[in-house]
Amino acid sequence: YFMQGQKTLIHRESGKSLNLTEKEASIIKFLLRNRGEVVNKTELLEKVWGYNSSITTHTLETHIYRLRQKIGFVDDAPFLITKNNGYTLA
């Protein structure tokens, strides 16, 4: 589960916790608000970073990669899923 105020993800079964950066926490928060939907990259860049759609950047992909690396140390099950040019939570 996600403790928004502490920017921490806690694995329900093991109790292991992960401290997140401000942007990682913002990504998780936005995806949780849109749980069950695929959020496209443009929307995440606009809502989390305030970028407009004409900016080309790999910032989001880099943050998603690092977030997956962190989560992988706690749980091997997929948590952050890439679908149809966007992201969703399992």
Side-chain angles (χ1 to χ4, degrees), residues 30 38-45 60 83-87:
F30 191 78
V38 175
V39 178
N40 70 43
K41 294 175 183 181
T42 302
E43 185 175 7
L44 270 170
L45 284 170
L60 175 60
K83 277 188 174 179
N84 303 328
N85 204 31
Y87 301 97

